[in-house]
Amino acid sequence: MKAGGEDFEFEPVDLVRAYVITRGRELPDDQELSLITLVTAAPAEGRRPTRLTPEEERLLDICSAGYLSVAEVAGHTRLPLGVVRIVLASLAESGHLMTRPPVPRARNADKDLLEEVLNGLTRKFG
């Protein structure tokens, strides 16, 4: 194709609009499905859903290996993070995924206790 005296070649793009993949659904609350929420595929018990989109199938396959964070799942796909969150929330609502809240942050250790342990180790082992 010529435009302005230059040769152009259009590259095929495998782009599917986000609203097609999400079916127009909205983002879930951060409390419901944050970036660090852990997800895994629910036990299939011999039944694999037949009415899933290719994106849903792909996300279920990724999640079948064990618990992954939402951010990790998104990193394994070429989909935008918001789209992944919406599809994962939909799969969780339909019972195909199990979610687990993130592991709570550990509290800081007591400085005095750590110093006592260090002093004890130093006395014992030099």
PDB file of all heavy atoms in Angstrom, residues 75-103:
ATOM      1  N   GLY A  75       0.900 -11.593  35.195  1.00  0.00           N
ATOM      2  CA  GLY A  75       2.227 -11.610  34.590  1.00  0.00           C
ATOM      3  C   GLY A  75       2.421 -12.748  33.613  1.00  0.00           C
ATOM      4  O   GLY A  75       3.245 -12.657  32.691  1.00  0.00           O
ATOM      5  N   HIS A  76       1.674 -13.842  33.779  1.00  0.00           N
ATOM      6  CA  HIS A  76       1.788 -14.989  32.873  1.00  0.00           C
ATOM      7  C   HIS A  76       0.952 -14.829  31.612  1.00  0.00           C
ATOM      8  O   HIS A  76       1.018 -15.666  30.723  1.00  0.00           O
ATOM      9  CB  HIS A  76       1.377 -16.275  33.590  1.00  0.00           C
ATOM     10  CG  HIS A  76       2.362 -16.734  34.609  1.00  0.00           C
ATOM     11  ND1 HIS A  76       3.612 -17.194  34.283  1.00  0.00           N
ATOM     12  CD2 HIS A  76       2.278 -16.779  35.963  1.00  0.00           C
ATOM     13  CE1 HIS A  76       4.269 -17.524  35.393  1.00  0.00           C
ATOM     14  NE2 HIS A  76       3.480 -17.269  36.420  1.00  0.00           N
ATOM     15  N   THR A  77       0.141 -13.789  31.561  1.00  0.00           N
ATOM     16  CA  THR A  77      -0.706 -13.556  30.382  1.00  0.00           C
ATOM     17  C   THR A  77      -0.255 -12.285  29.680  1.00  0.00           C
ATOM     18  O   THR A  77       0.571 -11.551  30.186  1.00  0.00           O
ATOM     19  CB  THR A  77      -2.187 -13.386  30.794  1.00  0.00           C
ATOM     20  OG1 THR A  77      -2.310 -12.183  31.538  1.00  0.00           O
ATOM     21  CG2 THR A  77      -2.671 -14.562  31.612  1.00  0.00           C
ATOM     22  N   ARG A  78      -0.807 -12.043  28.557  1.00  0.00           N
ATOM     23  CA  ARG A  78      -0.553 -10.786  27.846  1.00  0.00           C
ATOM     24  C   ARG A  78      -1.770  -9.881  27.941  1.00  0.00           C
ATOM     25  O   ARG A  78      -1.993  -9.040  27.079  1.00  0.00           O
ATOM     26  CB  ARG A  78      -0.207 -11.082  26.384  1.00  0.00           C
ATOM     27  CG  ARG A  78       1.121 -11.803  26.244  1.00  0.00           C
ATOM     28  CD  ARG A  78       1.462 -12.078  24.827  1.00  0.00           C
ATOM     29  NE  ARG A  78       1.491 -10.828  24.059  1.00  0.00           N
ATOM     30  CZ  ARG A  78       1.771 -10.758  22.785  1.00  0.00           C
ATOM     31  NH1 ARG A  78       2.058 -11.843  22.118  1.00  0.00           N
ATOM     32  NH2 ARG A  78       1.777  -9.609  22.158  1.00  0.00           N
ATOM     33  N   LEU A  79      -2.538 -10.069  28.984  1.00  0.00           N
ATOM     34  CA  LEU A  79      -3.754  -9.286  29.174  1.00  0.00           C
ATOM     35  C   LEU A  79      -3.514  -8.175  30.175  1.00  0.00           C
ATOM     36  O   LEU A  79      -2.688  -8.321  31.078  1.00  0.00           O
ATOM     37  CB  LEU A  79      -4.881 -10.190  29.692  1.00  0.00           C
ATOM     38  CG  LEU A  79      -5.321 -11.324  28.779  1.00  0.00           C
ATOM     39  CD1 LEU A  79      -6.302 -12.227  29.500  1.00  0.00           C
ATOM     40  CD2 LEU A  79      -5.930 -10.765  27.516  1.00  0.00           C
ATOM     41  N   PRO A  80      -4.238  -7.074  30.068  1.00  0.00           N
ATOM     42  CA  PRO A  80      -4.125  -6.008  31.067  1.00  0.00           C
ATOM     43  C   PRO A  80      -4.563  -6.510  32.448  1.00  0.00           C
ATOM     44  O   PRO A  80      -5.426  -7.382  32.568  1.00  0.00           O
ATOM     45  CB  PRO A  80      -5.076  -4.921  30.557  1.00  0.00           C
ATOM     46  CG  PRO A  80      -5.295  -5.232  29.122  1.00  0.00           C
ATOM     47  CD  PRO A  80      -5.129  -6.709  28.964  1.00  0.00           C
ATOM     48  N   LEU A  81      -3.961  -5.944  33.471  1.00  0.00           N
ATOM     49  CA  LEU A  81      -4.226  -6.373  34.844  1.00  0.00           C
ATOM     50  C   LEU A  81      -5.701  -6.254  35.206  1.00  0.00           C
ATOM     51  O   LEU A  81      -6.270  -7.144  35.842  1.00  0.00           O
ATOM     52  CB  LEU A  81      -3.378  -5.551  35.813  1.00  0.00           C
ATOM     53  CG  LEU A  81      -3.557  -5.860  37.281  1.00  0.00           C
ATOM     54  CD1 LEU A  81      -3.180  -7.300  37.580  1.00  0.00           C
ATOM     55  CD2 LEU A  81      -2.744  -4.911  38.116  1.00  0.00           C
ATOM     56  N   GLY A  82      -6.340  -5.176  34.802  1.00  0.00           N
ATOM     57  CA  GLY A  82      -7.766  -5.000  35.098  1.00  0.00           C
ATOM     58  C   GLY A  82      -8.618  -6.092  34.481  1.00  0.00           C
ATOM     59  O   GLY A  82      -9.553  -6.594  35.110  1.00  0.00           O
ATOM     60  N   VAL A  83      -8.297  -6.481  33.266  1.00  0.00           N
ATOM     61  CA  VAL A  83      -9.036  -7.554  32.594  1.00  0.00           C
ATOM     62  C   VAL A  83      -8.852  -8.860  33.347  1.00  0.00           C
ATOM     63  O   VAL A  83      -9.812  -9.599  33.586  1.00  0.00           O
ATOM     64  CB  VAL A  83      -8.575  -7.689  31.123  1.00  0.00           C
ATOM     65  CG1 VAL A  83      -9.172  -8.928  30.473  1.00  0.00           C
ATOM     66  CG2 VAL A  83      -8.934  -6.446  30.335  1.00  0.00           C
ATOM     67  N   VAL A  84      -7.629  -9.143  33.765  1.00  0.00           N
ATOM     68  CA  VAL A  84      -7.359 -10.374  34.511  1.00  0.00           C
ATOM     69  C   VAL A  84      -8.142 -10.378  35.824  1.00  0.00           C
ATOM     70  O   VAL A  84      -8.746 -11.391  36.189  1.00  0.00           O
ATOM     71  CB  VAL A  84      -5.844 -10.536  34.764  1.00  0.00           C
ATOM     72  CG1 VAL A  84      -5.561 -11.682  35.720  1.00  0.00           C
ATOM     73  CG2 VAL A  84      -5.111 -10.748  33.454  1.00  0.00           C
ATOM     74  N   ARG A  85      -8.176  -9.250  36.521  1.00  0.00           N
ATOM     75  CA  ARG A  85      -8.922  -9.181  37.780  1.00  0.00           C
ATOM     76  C   ARG A  85     -10.408  -9.441  37.557  1.00  0.00           C
ATOM     77  O   ARG A  85     -11.049 -10.143  38.339  1.00  0.00           O
ATOM     78  CB  ARG A  85      -8.718  -7.818  38.438  1.00  0.00           C
ATOM     79  CG  ARG A  85      -7.351  -7.662  39.073  1.00  0.00           C
ATOM     80  CD  ARG A  85      -7.201  -6.343  39.778  1.00  0.00           C
ATOM     81  NE  ARG A  85      -8.179  -6.215  40.840  1.00  0.00           N
ATOM     82  CZ  ARG A  85      -8.722  -5.066  41.214  1.00  0.00           C
ATOM     83  NH1 ARG A  85      -8.378  -3.939  40.611  1.00  0.00           N
ATOM     84  NH2 ARG A  85      -9.596  -5.022  42.185  1.00  0.00           N
ATOM     85  N   ILE A  86     -10.961  -8.874  36.506  1.00  0.00           N
ATOM     86  CA  ILE A  86     -12.391  -9.047  36.219  1.00  0.00           C
ATOM     87  C   ILE A  86     -12.702 -10.499  35.887  1.00  0.00           C
ATOM     88  O   ILE A  86     -13.658 -11.088  36.408  1.00  0.00           O
ATOM     89  CB  ILE A  86     -12.832  -8.111  35.077  1.00  0.00           C
ATOM     90  CG1 ILE A  86     -12.768  -6.660  35.537  1.00  0.00           C
ATOM     91  CG2 ILE A  86     -14.226  -8.473  34.588  1.00  0.00           C
ATOM     92  CD1 ILE A  86     -12.932  -5.651  34.421  1.00  0.00           C
ATOM     93  N   VAL A  87     -11.883 -11.118  35.039  1.00  0.00           N
ATOM     94  CA  VAL A  87     -12.132 -12.510  34.646  1.00  0.00           C
ATOM     95  C   VAL A  87     -11.934 -13.445  35.839  1.00  0.00           C
ATOM     96  O   VAL A  87     -12.712 -14.376  36.039  1.00  0.00           O
ATOM     97  CB  VAL A  87     -11.240 -12.903  33.447  1.00  0.00           C
ATOM     98  CG1 VAL A  87     -11.405 -14.374  33.110  1.00  0.00           C
ATOM     99  CG2 VAL A  87     -11.569 -12.046  32.231  1.00  0.00           C
ATOM    100  N   LEU A  88     -10.903 -13.191  36.659  1.00  0.00           N
ATOM    101  CA  LEU A  88     -10.698 -14.024  37.844  1.00  0.00           C
ATOM    102  C   LEU A  88     -11.866 -13.895  38.819  1.00  0.00           C
ATOM    103  O   LEU A  88     -12.299 -14.893  39.404  1.00  0.00           O
ATOM    104  CB  LEU A  88      -9.385 -13.649  38.543  1.00  0.00           C
ATOM    105  CG  LEU A  88      -8.097 -14.073  37.850  1.00  0.00           C
ATOM    106  CD1 LEU A  88      -6.892 -13.543  38.609  1.00  0.00           C
ATOM    107  CD2 LEU A  88      -8.016 -15.573  37.677  1.00  0.00           C
ATOM    108  N   ALA A  89     -12.378 -12.690  38.992  1.00  0.00           N
ATOM    109  CA  ALA A  89     -13.524 -12.493  39.878  1.00  0.00           C
ATOM    110  C   ALA A  89     -14.743 -13.254  39.356  1.00  0.00           C
ATOM    111  O   ALA A  89     -15.477 -13.873  40.128  1.00  0.00           O
ATOM    112  CB  ALA A  89     -13.843 -11.009  40.016  1.00  0.00           C
ATOM    113  N   SER A  90     -14.927 -13.245  38.062  1.00  0.00           N
ATOM    114  CA  SER A  90     -16.041 -13.976  37.462  1.00  0.00           C
ATOM    115  C   SER A  90     -15.884 -15.486  37.665  1.00  0.00           C
ATOM    116  O   SER A  90     -16.847 -16.185  37.993  1.00  0.00           O
ATOM    117  CB  SER A  90     -16.121 -13.658  35.969  1.00  0.00           C
ATOM    118  OG  SER A  90     -17.054 -14.474  35.335  1.00  0.00           O
ATOM    119  N   LEU A  91     -14.665 -15.985  37.482  1.00  0.00           N
ATOM    120  CA  LEU A  91     -14.418 -17.415  37.686  1.00  0.00           C
ATOM    121  C   LEU A  91     -14.605 -17.804  39.152  1.00  0.00           C
ATOM    122  O   LEU A  91     -15.091 -18.896  39.451  1.00  0.00           O
ATOM    123  CB  LEU A  91     -13.008 -17.777  37.218  1.00  0.00           C
ATOM    124  CG  LEU A  91     -12.788 -17.781  35.707  1.00  0.00           C
ATOM    125  CD1 LEU A  91     -11.303 -17.896  35.375  1.00  0.00           C
ATOM    126  CD2 LEU A  91     -13.567 -18.902  35.044  1.00  0.00           C
ATOM    127  N   ALA A  92     -14.231 -16.916  40.056  1.00  0.00           N
ATOM    128  CA  ALA A  92     -14.421 -17.195  41.478  1.00  0.00           C
ATOM    129  C   ALA A  92     -15.904 -17.210  41.832  1.00  0.00           C
ATOM    130  O   ALA A  92     -16.365 -18.072  42.600  1.00  0.00           O
ATOM    131  CB  ALA A  92     -13.671 -16.162  42.318  1.00  0.00           C
ATOM    132  N   GLU A  93     -16.668 -16.277  41.274  1.00  0.00           N
ATOM    133  CA  GLU A  93     -18.114 -16.232  41.537  1.00  0.00           C
ATOM    134  C   GLU A  93     -18.817 -17.479  41.027  1.00  0.00           C
ATOM    135  O   GLU A  93     -19.767 -17.951  41.636  1.00  0.00           O
ATOM    136  CB  GLU A  93     -18.730 -14.995  40.889  1.00  0.00           C
ATOM    137  CG  GLU A  93     -18.392 -13.704  41.582  1.00  0.00           C
ATOM    138  CD  GLU A  93     -18.883 -12.484  40.803  1.00  0.00           C
ATOM    139  OE1 GLU A  93     -19.610 -12.656  39.803  1.00  0.00           O
ATOM    140  OE2 GLU A  93     -18.517 -11.367  41.211  1.00  0.00           O
ATOM    141  N   SER A  94     -18.332 -18.014  39.908  1.00  0.00           N
ATOM    142  CA  SER A  94     -18.973 -19.201  39.337  1.00  0.00           C
ATOM    143  C   SER A  94     -18.465 -20.494  39.967  1.00  0.00           C
ATOM    144  O   SER A  94     -18.913 -21.578  39.595  1.00  0.00           O
ATOM    145  CB  SER A  94     -18.770 -19.231  37.818  1.00  0.00           C
ATOM    146  OG  SER A  94     -17.393 -19.322  37.517  1.00  0.00           O
ATOM    147  N   GLY A  95     -17.516 -20.397  40.904  1.00  0.00           N
ATOM    148  CA  GLY A  95     -17.050 -21.581  41.611  1.00  0.00           C
ATOM    149  C   GLY A  95     -15.892 -22.305  40.960  1.00  0.00           C
ATOM    150  O   GLY A  95     -15.500 -23.378  41.418  1.00  0.00           O
ATOM    151  N   HIS A  96     -15.312 -21.755  39.911  1.00  0.00           N
ATOM    152  CA  HIS A  96     -14.190 -22.402  39.235  1.00  0.00           C
ATOM    153  C   HIS A  96     -12.852 -22.091  39.895  1.00  0.00           C
ATOM    154  O   HIS A  96     -11.881 -22.810  39.679  1.00  0.00           O
ATOM    155  CB  HIS A  96     -14.119 -21.976  37.774  1.00  0.00           C
ATOM    156  CG  HIS A  96     -15.355 -22.318  36.991  1.00  0.00           C
ATOM    157  ND1 HIS A  96     -16.214 -23.331  37.324  1.00  0.00           N
ATOM    158  CD2 HIS A  96     -15.888 -21.769  35.879  1.00  0.00           C
ATOM    159  CE1 HIS A  96     -17.208 -23.391  36.458  1.00  0.00           C
ATOM    160  NE2 HIS A  96     -17.034 -22.448  35.567  1.00  0.00           N
ATOM    161  N   LEU A  97     -12.799 -21.015  40.666  1.00  0.00           N
ATOM    162  CA  LEU A  97     -11.577 -20.612  41.356  1.00  0.00           C
ATOM    163  C   LEU A  97     -11.846 -20.479  42.841  1.00  0.00           C
ATOM    164  O   LEU A  97     -12.938 -20.116  43.258  1.00  0.00           O
ATOM    165  CB  LEU A  97     -11.082 -19.247  40.857  1.00  0.00           C
ATOM    166  CG  LEU A  97     -10.323 -19.170  39.562  1.00  0.00           C
ATOM    167  CD1 LEU A  97      -9.885 -17.741  39.311  1.00  0.00           C
ATOM    168  CD2 LEU A  97      -9.134 -20.073  39.544  1.00  0.00           C
ATOM    169  N   MET A  98     -10.811 -20.758  43.622  1.00  0.00           N
ATOM    170  CA  MET A  98     -10.866 -20.502  45.056  1.00  0.00           C
ATOM    171  C   MET A  98      -9.902 -19.360  45.339  1.00  0.00           C
ATOM    172  O   MET A  98      -8.809 -19.303  44.776  1.00  0.00           O
ATOM    173  CB  MET A  98     -10.439 -21.741  45.845  1.00  0.00           C
ATOM    174  CG  MET A  98     -11.365 -22.920  45.662  1.00  0.00           C
ATOM    175  SD  MET A  98     -10.984 -24.340  46.716  1.00  0.00           S
ATOM    176  CE  MET A  98      -9.246 -24.564  46.510  1.00  0.00           C
ATOM    177  N   THR A  99     -10.339 -18.447  46.187  1.00  0.00           N
ATOM    178  CA  THR A  99      -9.479 -17.320  46.549  1.00  0.00           C
ATOM    179  C   THR A  99      -9.136 -17.412  48.027  1.00  0.00           C
ATOM    180  O   THR A  99      -9.891 -17.969  48.821  1.00  0.00           O
ATOM    181  CB  THR A  99     -10.165 -15.968  46.276  1.00  0.00           C
ATOM    182  OG1 THR A  99     -11.340 -15.874  47.075  1.00  0.00           O
ATOM    183  CG2 THR A  99     -10.512 -15.818  44.813  1.00  0.00           C
ATOM    184  N   ARG A 100      -7.989 -16.867  48.347  1.00  0.00           N
ATOM    185  CA  ARG A 100      -7.543 -16.819  49.733  1.00  0.00           C
ATOM    186  C   ARG A 100      -6.957 -15.449  49.975  1.00  0.00           C
ATOM    187  O   ARG A 100      -6.191 -14.955  49.151  1.00  0.00           O
ATOM    188  CB  ARG A 100      -6.479 -17.894  49.958  1.00  0.00           C
ATOM    189  CG  ARG A 100      -6.128 -18.103  51.408  1.00  0.00           C
ATOM    190  CD  ARG A 100      -5.152 -19.215  51.562  1.00  0.00           C
ATOM    191  NE  ARG A 100      -3.833 -18.601  51.620  1.00  0.00           N
ATOM    192  CZ  ARG A 100      -2.707 -19.260  51.618  1.00  0.00           C
ATOM    193  NH1 ARG A 100      -2.712 -20.564  51.498  1.00  0.00           N
ATOM    194  NH2 ARG A 100      -1.564 -18.638  51.695  1.00  0.00           N
ATOM    195  N   PRO A 101      -7.349 -14.826  51.073  1.00  0.00           N
ATOM    196  CA  PRO A 101      -6.774 -13.500  51.322  1.00  0.00           C
ATOM    197  C   PRO A 101      -5.262 -13.611  51.464  1.00  0.00           C
ATOM    198  O   PRO A 101      -4.739 -14.664  51.822  1.00  0.00           O
ATOM    199  CB  PRO A 101      -7.437 -13.047  52.621  1.00  0.00           C
ATOM    200  CG  PRO A 101      -8.020 -14.269  53.230  1.00  0.00           C
ATOM    201  CD  PRO A 101      -8.228 -15.266  52.135  1.00  0.00           C
ATOM    202  N   PRO A 102      -4.565 -12.539  51.184  1.00  0.00           N
ATOM    203  CA  PRO A 102      -3.109 -12.593  51.291  1.00  0.00           C
ATOM    204  C   PRO A 102      -2.672 -12.876  52.720  1.00  0.00           C
ATOM    205  O   PRO A 102      -3.396 -12.609  53.679  1.00  0.00           O
ATOM    206  CB  PRO A 102      -2.661 -11.208  50.838  1.00  0.00           C
ATOM    207  CG  PRO A 102      -3.858 -10.355  50.904  1.00  0.00           C
ATOM    208  CD  PRO A 102      -5.052 -11.237  50.779  1.00  0.00           C
ATOM    209  N   VAL A 103      -1.495 -13.447  52.824  1.00  0.00           N
ATOM    210  CA  VAL A 103      -0.937 -13.733  54.143  1.00  0.00           C
ATOM    211  C   VAL A 103      -0.700 -12.405  54.846  1.00  0.00           C
ATOM    212  O   VAL A 103      -0.106 -11.487  54.272  1.00  0.00           O
ATOM    213  CB  VAL A 103       0.380 -14.516  54.002  1.00  0.00           C
ATOM    214  CG1 VAL A 103       1.016 -14.751  55.354  1.00  0.00           C
ATOM    215  CG2 VAL A 103       0.142 -15.813  53.258  1.00  0.00           C
TER     216      VAL A 103
END
